[in-house]
Amino acid sequence: MSEEIKKERKKRSLSLIQPTSIPTLGNYLGAMKGWSSFQNDYDTVFGIADLHSITVRQDPKKLRQQTIELYALLLSVGLDPDKSILFIQSHVPQHSQLGWILNCYTMFGELNRMTQFKDKSQQHSDNVNSGLFTYPCLMAADILLYQADIVPVGADQKQHLEITRDIAERFNGIYGNVFTVPEAYIPKNGARVMSLADPTRKMSKSDPNPKGTVYLTDEPSVIMKKFKSAVTDSEMSVRYAEGKDGINNLMTIYSAVTGKDFDAIESEFAGKGYGDFKKAVGEAVVAELEPVQKKYNEYMADKAYLQEQWTKGAEIASKVSQRTLDKVMKKVGFLQK
Ligand code: ATP
Ligand code: LTN
């Protein structure tokens, strides 16, 4: 069988991330860390969801800078433009086009149930715009345009994957088999990393309290400091249990980074204090991020290379997604040019 045919048969994996700031340890462990390993077994597509990011007000200059930084970080965690399609969403107009069409196949009541919409409209009560509400239609377009089979994301995106499946099934039910119905792929460990300052809330890029959030480009000393001041409990025993949100979170992080399971971690720290444990978690995270940060600095010093890659990514993404868009436009009854 020729390489070309073998490649055609691989399943497709797709995921996007918003350029709302430098990614956090949560984004990394819940999503980005695993993405590079998909490149061997899947036909992989990754993108920067800048269209989604303006559902919350962004500073234009910062948004541009964060998009470049995120592109460099995607390469730094091991995404390879020769193996994957790596694009920026606003460079590929097919996303907005299909997004609009899918708006008309998504019910108000379905969107109204989305917990991300409820959370974000509370966080940004001065800007509850319609984009925030119809966010899942654009996300469904991102996924369905490429006929993705699996979508590796953190646990918080499960509901958005379910609505994407519902939209795809509804559309297929009316017009025949147009879209592949995708499945979420949620990692076993690290799917939900919590804030170090408030372990009952997810670690988020847009958290105004930087103490609870580890950013991928934080200096080692900053990372160590954040772990040292992580909120724990008064029990002084490293074990995974209900009500020990802080320790559970640190164990999750340590396990996701080192590959050790919870039993092994409990034995390793039996009889030791939280100080030792926090230090070990901090050091493991620093060691994990060191090679990523080194590559990041190299890529950031070569903007011409980055631009060349995102231009190439947009061309390929546009070609692939147009095939689905053509099919959809024909099915719904739009007149051909
Ligand atoms: P924002 O804080 O701006 O809403 P975010 O970090 O929640 O952003 P994205 O940039 O869209 O959201 O997320 C990219 C990926 O990271 C998604 O797959 C998401 O599920 C995952 N992710 C986000 N936060 C966490 C977390 N705390 N733990 C695990 N995975 C996460
Ligand atoms: N909503 C996602 C980001 C996102 C996405 C996608 C993820 C936009 N489009 C398509 C997977 C597939 C989030 O992670 N907050």
Side-chain angles (χ1 to χ4, degrees):
M1 204 186 312
S2 78
E3 275 306 306
E4 202 51 35
I5 295 172
K6 264 197 246 162
K7 219 174 158 193
E8 284 275 310
R9 289 205 181 147
K10 274 189 187 169
K11 287 202 167 183
R12 181 163 282 164
S13 156
L14 170 144
S15 201
L16 272 69
I17 176 166
Q18 301 186 76
T20 36
S21 91
I22 286 285
T24 68
L25 186 63
N27 297 131
Y28 177 73
L29 296 178
M32 296 163 73
K33 179 177 158 75
W35 287 355
S36 66
S37 61
F38 282 92
Q39 294 181 123
N40 301 324
D41 303 322
Y42 290 86
D43 184 3
T44 39
V45 183
F46 298 104
I48 297 187
D50 54 351
L51 296 174
H52 278 106
S53 75
I54 62 161
T55 53
V56 169
R57 192 74 70 232
Q58 302 292 333
D59 174 79
K61 216 171 139 194
K62 271 201 200 153
L63 181 59
R64 257 188 295 276
Q65 183 60 19
Q66 283 163 193
T67 306
I68 299 173
E69 290 168 353
L70 184 54
Y71 201 91
L73 269 170
L74 292 180
L75 298 180
S76 309
V77 299
L79 301 188
D80 177 350
D82 290 328
K83 290 187 183 161
S84 295
I85 304 177
L86 290 180
F87 69 97
I88 296 169
Q89 193 186 27
S90 65
H91 293 174
V92 186
Q94 288 82 356
H95 290 249
S96 311
Q97 288 174 277
L98 183 62
W100 168 256
I101 296 173
L102 295 183
N103 263 290
C104 305
Y105 294 83
T106 310
M107 301 304 131
F108 186 93
E110 287 178 297
L111 293 171
N112 212 20
R113 284 197 292 273
M114 295 293 113
T115 53
Q116 182 175 298
F117 172 69
K118 288 181 203 159
D119 290 349
K120 292 251 158 132
S121 45
Q122 259 172 18
Q123 276 167 29
H124 307 276
S125 53
D126 56 334
N127 183 22
V128 184
N129 60 73
S130 351
L132 200 57
F133 190 66
T134 61
Y135 181 114
C137 303
L138 180 60
M139 179 158 164
D142 297 338
I143 299 168
L144 302 179
L145 272 176
Y146 298 84
Q147 308 289 351
D149 298 282
I150 64 156
V151 182
V153 281
D156 62 315
Q157 294 301 308
K158 198 166 168 244
Q159 202 183 24
H160 285 162
L161 256 296
E162 275 157 18
I163 193 173
T164 299
R165 290 168 60 86
D166 291 342
I167 297 170
E169 278 166 359
R170 177 171 306 134
F171 199 93
N172 287 349
I174 306 172
Y175 301 107
N177 244 348
V178 178
F179 296 128
T180 302
V181 180
E183 286 199 32
Y185 179 95
I186 296 168
K188 276 193 213 85
N189 217 337
R192 199 168 168 79
V193 175
M194 311 307 277
S195 158
L196 299 184
D198 176 359
T200 60
R201 292 190 16 223
K202 88 161 188 170
M203 186 182 282
S204 164
K205 285 203 228 90
S206 33
D207 192 334
N209 179 4
K211 272 176 96 176
T213 308
V214 175
Y215 295 97
L216 294 193
T217 54
D218 277 348
E219 297 273 338
S221 61
V222 174
I223 297 178
M224 291 306 293
K225 213 164 143 198
K226 286 179 178 173
F227 277 102
K228 229 178 247 170
S229 56
V231 168
T232 49
D233 54 63
S234 52
E235 194 201 38
M236 295 308 271
S237 131
V238 177
R239 64 187 182 92
Y240 198 97
E242 207 174 315
K244 289 173 70 73
D245 296 321
I247 288 297
N248 294 349
N249 189 37
L250 292 176
M251 286 179 74
T252 301
I253 295 171
Y254 193 60
S255 168
V257 170
T258 61
K260 295 175 185 170
D261 64 21
F262 289 162
D263 285 344
I265 299 172
E266 284 177 15
S267 335
E268 186 178 344
F269 294 96
K272 292 192 184 147
Y274 284 169
D276 290 339
F277 181 48
K278 287 180 181 181
K279 188 163 167 265
V281 183
E283 282 169 355
V285 170
V286 167
E288 170 85 13
L289 295 185
E290 194 198 68
V292 175
Q293 296 187 347
K294 191 167 167 275
K295 284 199 196 122
Y296 172 72
N297 292 329
E298 287 166 13
Y299 284 123
M300 283 305 283
D302 193 354
K303 301 270 159 56
Y305 174 77
L306 295 176
Q307 183 162 14
E308 200 181 297
Q309 296 312 318
W310 72 57
T311 306
K312 186 180 89 177
E315 276 166 22
I316 308 173
S318 195
K319 219 184 255 170
V320 174
S321 58
Q322 188 62 42
R323 280 186 224 144
T324 303
L325 185 62
D326 280 344
K327 218 174 181 184
V328 168
M329 290 175 68
K330 203 166 156 200
K331 291 282 187 189
V332 299
F334 293 156
L335 190 64
Q336 275 185 298
K337 267 191 263 182

